[in-house]
Amino acid sequence: MQALQRITTEYDEHEDRLRLSGELSDGSSVLLWLTQRLLYRILPHLTQWLGQHDAGAAGNAVGLWQDSDWIQGFAQQAAQAQLAPSPPVRTSASTASWRVDRAHIIETTTTTGTPTLCVVFQGPAQQEARLVLAPQPLRQWLGIVYAQTQRGQWPMAAWPTWMHESQACGAPPAAALH
């Protein structure tokens, strides 16, 4: 299973899907297609994990309030403000491309003890690619995904209130995440 080192997430109007252009650890690239149905099935797991593992984002002083919409929205805005623009991941006609049929979410930790979330994207022919994100990069990617689902005019009810509120206060994030 290859690790995604960088990804560019964009809504594709023709496919009505999210296109994840990924750079793999061996330097090659892959094109993953994420459907609305699958995204909205994994989204609650991603946002709930942030509420449980992102205590450092808003500072230790908030302690018991960590799960409140206000604190989550603040942490989301702070993470997105840290997202630096970067060039998109480039793909070509020979790039492997597949629809994501399943996604497994696995909680992990780095050697320094930082909690991370590993999303294993699986395709129809045993393809797999994994994306490992600490809380701040996960928030940044979710901000990108949110903006792209808005662009596609997908229903927004699956997103938590704090995400709606955090997006209303700032500029939409870029599509690339490293």
Side-chain angles (χ1 to χ4, degrees):
M1 172 179 9
Q2 296 241 24
L4 294 163
Q5 301 300 308
R6 298 185 325 124
I7 58 170
T8 299
T9 305
E10 299 171 296
Y11 173 75
D12 185 289
E13 187 174 321
H14 178 71
E15 293 285 337
D16 192 27
R17 296 178 188 189
L18 292 182
R19 178 180 59 230
L20 280 63
S21 304
E23 183 179 290
L24 299 169
S25 51
D26 67 2
S28 64
S29 58
V30 64
L31 196 57
L32 308 178
W33 295 96
L34 189 59
T35 63
Q36 180 185 122
R37 178 180 165 271
L38 183 58
L39 172 66
Y40 287 169
R41 289 181 70 192
I42 66 172
L43 187 60
H45 301 286
L46 302 177
T47 57
Q48 288 170 9
W49 183 84
L50 282 172
Q52 297 168 355
H53 293 89
D54 197 14
N60 293 333
V62 294
L64 298 174
W65 298 332
Q66 183 59 34
D67 290 327
S68 76
D69 286 347
W70 185 84
I71 296 298
Q72 290 297 325
F74 177 77
Q76 185 65 35
Q77 287 175 5
Q80 285 181 211
Q82 298 288 321
L83 182 60
S86 58
V89 173
R90 299 286 179 207
T91 58
S92 66
S94 63
T95 299
S97 177
W98 41 276
R99 180 190 68 244
V100 178
D101 287 342
R102 293 173 308 284
H104 296 282
I105 300 170
I106 304 163
E107 293 186 35
T108 60
T109 11
T110 65
T111 55
T112 60
T114 304
T116 57
L117 198 65
C118 176
V119 182
V120 180
F121 298 109
Q122 297 180 316
Q126 309 297 322
Q127 301 105 320
E128 286 189 345
R130 66 182 159 88
L131 179 62
V132 179
L133 297 168
Q136 180 168 321
L138 176 57
R139 283 189 184 282
Q140 292 169 335
W141 183 59
L142 287 175
I144 293 167
V145 171
Y146 182 92
Q148 295 303 309
T149 58
Q150 278 187 314
R151 184 172 169 237
Q153 299 177 350
W154 287 4
M156 302 306 283
W159 291 93
T161 303
W162 55 263
M163 181 62 90
H164 296 296
E165 292 170 357
S166 69
Q167 298 303 308
C169 295
L177 178 68
H178 302 263

